[in-house]
């Protein structure tokens, strides 16, 4: 996520600005709907959707630029039965800046699997959802407007953790046995673990390192396509911290480890590495 953007809960004081951005975004997305963005639909947004739904906003430089409404089927945490997206709207002037993507990935991190409906006539919205890995599950005719709606769904993302460890501007990566692709040291959670606890355990198992969970500091969250998982999305929380002078001892699942520069990382590592490297280059920790 951009350092300038935050995702937070909707507050009643946001009503006027989100109603305005919803109205403008809805008219842009649904020009085929008479009266879209106004009248009875605007009243329902203010009096029903913003009151009853689980609503989140994207904010950049103090201005609200996006609205997400959810109906959750289970508790927050990503392990429940998922959530239905009631609405996703980004102010027209802010579209293309990542707000819509970050709102959806935030919802997936909280609730896991997602479903939503998009009007067949909303070609841009359909392309956006396809880009983020949603697939068609069904169709129906909207009773209110008479226009066809497409139901889309996406499986819960794979949740993992990764360690950002650099030596002279080169990023530590590992390769598992039987695999020619390198990954960040880390892996998946075990039941009941926090992200820090999972990474501390994985570093011990993979590289024989003792890195207490309390020494790890969250650096970023990466959303990408999980390598080798048939398009399933990845939610990887990355950490820094722990000892700097290390002597890794590969565990039984690790074939080798290496420190890669920017070009080597892009050529030999999983897709999520590209985002990690871009962030490290922007921070001046790796050469561009």
């Amino acid at each position: 996520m951009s350092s300038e953007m935050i995702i937070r809960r909707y507050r009643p004081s946001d009503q006027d600005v989100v109603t305005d951005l919803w109205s403008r975004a809805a008219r842009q997305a649904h020009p085929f709907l008479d009266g879209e963005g106004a009248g009875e639909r605007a009243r329902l947004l203010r009096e029903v959707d913003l009151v009853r739904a689980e609503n989140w906003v994207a904010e950049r430089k103090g201005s609200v630029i996006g609205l997400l409404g959810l109906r959750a089927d289970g508790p927050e945490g990503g392990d429940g039965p998922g959530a239905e997206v009631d609405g996703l709207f980004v102010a027209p002037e802010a579209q293309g800046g990542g707000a819509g993507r970050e709102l959806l990935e935030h919802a997936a991190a909280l609730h896991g699997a997602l479903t939503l409906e998009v009007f067949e006539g909303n070609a841009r919205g359909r392309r956006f959802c396809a880009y983020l890995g949603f697939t068609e599950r069904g169709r129906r005719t909207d009773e209110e407007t008479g226009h066809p709606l497409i139901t889309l769904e996406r499986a819960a993302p794979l949740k993992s953790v990764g360690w950002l460890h650099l030596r002279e501007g080169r990023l530590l990566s590992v390769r598992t046995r039987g695999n020619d692709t390198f990954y960040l040291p880390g892996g998946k959670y075990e039941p009941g673990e926090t992200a820090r606890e999972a990474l501390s355990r994985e570093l011990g198992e993979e590289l024989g390192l003792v890195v207490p969970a309390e020494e790890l500091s969250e650096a970023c969250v990466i959303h990408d396509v999980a390598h080798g998982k048939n398009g399933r999305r990845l939610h990887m929380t990355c950490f820094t911290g722990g000892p700097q002078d290390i002597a890794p001892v590969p565990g039984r699942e690790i074939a080798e480890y290496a420190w890669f520069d920017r070009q080597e990382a892009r050529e030999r590592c999983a897709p999520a590495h590209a985002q990690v490297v871009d962030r490290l280059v922007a921070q001046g920790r790796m050469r561009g």
Side-chain angles (χ1 to χ4, degrees):
M1 185 189 306
S2 165
S3 60
E4 298 178 350
M5 188 187 304
I6 63 171
I7 305 297
R8 62 166 174 81
R9 286 274 193 176
Y10 165 83
R11 298 190 287 256
S13 59
D14 299 320
Q15 184 187 93
D16 289 344
V17 68
V18 300
T19 300
D20 175 68
L21 78 81
W22 163 82
S23 177
R24 293 184 292 118
R27 290 199 303 270
Q28 181 187 70
H30 309 140
F32 45 85
L33 298 183
D34 293 336
E36 177 65 314
E40 179 65 10
R41 293 172 73 86
R43 185 190 69 80
L44 290 174
L45 174 78
R46 292 191 302 269
E47 298 181 9
V48 179
D49 298 336
L50 293 179
V51 175
R52 298 181 183 177
E54 177 189 329
N55 293 296
W56 297 85
V57 299
E59 184 179 282
R60 176 176 283 144
K61 295 183 178 179
S63 297
V64 174
I65 58 173
L67 171 69
L68 172 75
L70 295 171
R71 282 189 290 171
D73 297 320
E76 295 183 1
D79 297 322
E84 180 177 349
V85 177
D86 261 353
L88 174 65
F89 300 93
V90 176
E93 66 274 11
Q95 292 178 11
R101 180 184 69 250
E102 293 298 340
L103 282 165
L104 281 178
E105 297 295 3
H106 181 75
L110 292 176
H111 298 294
L114 299 176
T115 61
L116 59 83
E117 288 187 316
V118 60
F119 280 106
E120 184 178 48
N122 183 2
R124 184 176 182 181
R126 291 167 60 191
R127 289 194 300 270
F128 171 75
C129 292
Y131 171 73
L132 289 181
F134 284 83
T135 57
E136 183 174 335
R137 189 180 72 183
R139 295 181 176 232
R140 71 180 181 89
T141 299
D142 181 42
E143 294 182 359
E144 180 182 353
T145 66
H147 286 265
L149 283 165
I150 302 174
T151 302
L152 303 173
E153 63 182 1
R154 195 182 82 174
L158 295 171
K159 297 181 71 175
S160 70
V161 289
W163 193 39
L164 306 183
H165 184 85
L166 291 106
R167 176 177 291 178
E168 297 179 352
R170 301 171 74 89
L171 182 62
L172 178 64
S173 304
V174 297
R175 180 176 66 84
T176 57
R177 299 187 187 280
N179 197 332
D180 60 1
T181 301
F182 282 78
Y183 302 83
L184 289 178
K188 300 176 183 177
Y189 297 66
E190 289 189 353
E193 285 183 328
T194 66
R196 288 177 174 80
E197 291 168 345
L199 183 54
S200 177
R201 172 185 53 76
E202 287 283 355
L203 292 176
E205 293 174 356
E206 290 186 348
L207 296 172
L209 302 176
V210 178
V211 182
E214 59 271 18
E215 293 186 10
L216 296 167
S217 299
E218 184 174 329
C220 61
V221 176
I222 300 296
H223 304 293
D224 211 315
V225 176
H227 182 68
K229 298 297 182 180
N230 297 316
R232 192 168 177 184
R233 301 291 294 184
L234 172 71
H235 176 102
M236 179 170 63
T237 306
C238 298
F239 293 86
T240 58
Q244 296 305 299
D245 296 325
I246 61 173
V249 179
R252 63 181 182 179
E253 294 184 357
I254 302 301
E256 63 176 319
Y257 65 88
W259 275 271
F260 290 134
D261 63 20
R262 176 179 178 271
Q263 187 61 34
E264 291 168 328
R266 286 185 174 276
E267 292 174 351
R268 304 190 64 184
C269 299
H273 261 64
Q275 288 194 54
V276 171
V277 168
D278 287 345
R279 290 170 184 266
L280 294 173
V281 169
Q283 294 167 4
R285 301 179 65 193
M286 293 184 73
R287 294 179 182 175

